[in-house]
């Protein structure tokens, strides 16, 4: 059972706690959607100054909305379009300090000012992305990028065992 944790304010330590919580949540669970739903809820609980966190899954050469926390979102995103589509096409993390400055940004929520997207690759194949939006410009930094990539690695390692 998940218990609410008081985070310490030390970001590295708190992210380590979040990763431990994720591992406990997905341990032994083989349903990918359930695991993604809990992962998005966990990040929504932990991260401050965000307005959307969730997953898009790669299906038939486009990203399709998966489990998330936040306002209703765009359902389909073509490869190479917006931050999410560019991240999955290039298979690299994109950290955008000001989404208004990103060419082709897709505004699903007008309040979003910054964004980080981490691609998910499972068994060498595109699987999806973790997408997090913030109503604060320049919300995400190198620590968030590194720690969220580790968070995604936990998920993709687990999914590689399932698929």
């Amino acid at each position: 059972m998940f218990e609410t944790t008081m985070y310490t304010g030390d970001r590295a330590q708190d992210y380590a706690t979040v990763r431990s919580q994720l591992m406990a949540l997905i341990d032994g669970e083989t349903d990918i959607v359930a695991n993604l739903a809990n992962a998005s809820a966990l990040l929504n609980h932990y991260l401050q100054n965000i307005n959307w966190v969730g997953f898009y899954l790669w299906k038939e050469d486009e990203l399709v909305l998966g489990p998330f926390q936040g306002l209703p979102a765009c359902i389909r995103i073509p490869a190479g379009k917006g931050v999410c589509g560019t991240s999955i096409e290039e298979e690299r993390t994109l950290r955008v300090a000001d989404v208004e400055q990103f060419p082709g940004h897709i505004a699903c929520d007008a309040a979003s000012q910054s964004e980080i997207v981490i691609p998910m690759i499972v068994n060498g194949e595109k699987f999806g992305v973790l997408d997090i939006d913030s109503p604060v410009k320049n919300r995400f930094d190198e620590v968030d990028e590194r720690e969220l990539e580790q968070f995604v690695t936990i998920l993709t390692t687990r999914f590689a065992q399932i698929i």
Side-chain angles (χ1 to χ4, degrees), residues 7-157:
Y7 298 104
T8 66
D10 176 307
R11 292 175 63 214
Q13 183 178 346
D14 289 347
Y15 266 118
T17 300
V18 170
R19 287 193 308 274
S20 293
Q21 290 171 323
L22 176 64
M23 288 186 283
L25 285 169
I26 68 174
D27 183 45
E29 180 53 61
T30 59
D31 189 280
I32 290 171
V33 172
N35 286 329
L36 292 174
N38 269 336
S40 64
L42 178 61
L43 288 174
N44 191 56
H45 171 72
Y46 167 66
L47 294 171
Q48 296 180 13
N49 296 318
I50 64 164
N51 58 320
W52 201 93
V53 56
F55 298 91
Y56 280 90
L57 304 176
W58 186 249
K59 296 182 180 184
E60 300 175 14
D61 297 325
E62 66 181 351
L63 290 166
V64 179
L65 183 63
F68 71 94
Q69 304 277 311
L71 292 177
C74 304
I75 295 173
R76 296 179 184 275
I77 300 175
K81 302 296 181 186
V83 182
C84 290
T86 302
S87 176
I88 194 67
E89 183 175 73
E90 296 179 3
E91 295 184 13
R92 68 180 180 96
T93 297
L94 293 178
R95 184 166 34 99
V96 180
D98 181 352
V99 296
E100 297 294 324
Q101 302 304 311
F102 190 90
H105 175 254
I106 299 169
C108 295
D109 182 345
S112 294
Q113 297 293 309
S114 62
E115 184 171 6
I116 187 167
V117 179
I118 297 96
M120 301 174 73
I121 308 299
V122 177
N123 295 328
E125 301 290 327
K126 290 176 173 65
F127 183 83
V129 298
L130 167 61
D131 179 22
I132 307 173
D133 294 355
S134 172
V136 177
K137 287 184 180 176
N138 205 26
R139 158 61 182 84
F140 305 102
D141 63 14
E142 297 84 5
V143 173
D144 295 302
E145 183 174 339
R146 180 185 68 243
E147 298 291 343
L148 291 166
E149 286 175 343
Q150 291 178 23
F151 187 92
V152 163
T153 297
I154 293 168
L155 289 169
T156 56
T157 300

